[in-house]
Amino acid sequence: MAPSDPAPTFDFAVDLSGHEMLRRTHVMAAIEPGWDPVAAMRREEEARALLYSGLDEEQQRIYDELVAAGVLPPGPGDAAA
């Protein structure tokens, strides 16, 4: 091959479906028997509301800008204040 010739190309594919099934198996094995996904999501929402509560004026302005830009999802910023 001459130095000016482009490098040869080839198709490259990796099948990760076996790895994904193994990952899901490990996740399901790690979940406790009494795990309640609805309660877990509720606690996540409560924690998020608490995290963004009690912001001062400048922090609230920045929070609102981040929400408007799509960096943060919309939600209550003062739920626990």
Side-chain angles (χ1 to χ4, degrees), residues 12-26:
F12 181 77
V14 177
D15 182 5
L16 297 176
S17 57
H19 182 271
E20 177 62 13
M21 291 307 296
L22 180 61
R23 185 194 68 80
R24 289 180 185 188
T25 300
H26 286 295

Side-chain angles (χ1 to χ4, degrees), residues 27-43:
V27 167
M28 294 308 292
I31 294 175
E32 298 175 5
W35 182 65
D36 181 357
V38 174
M41 289 300 297
R42 189 176 308 115
R43 288 191 303 269

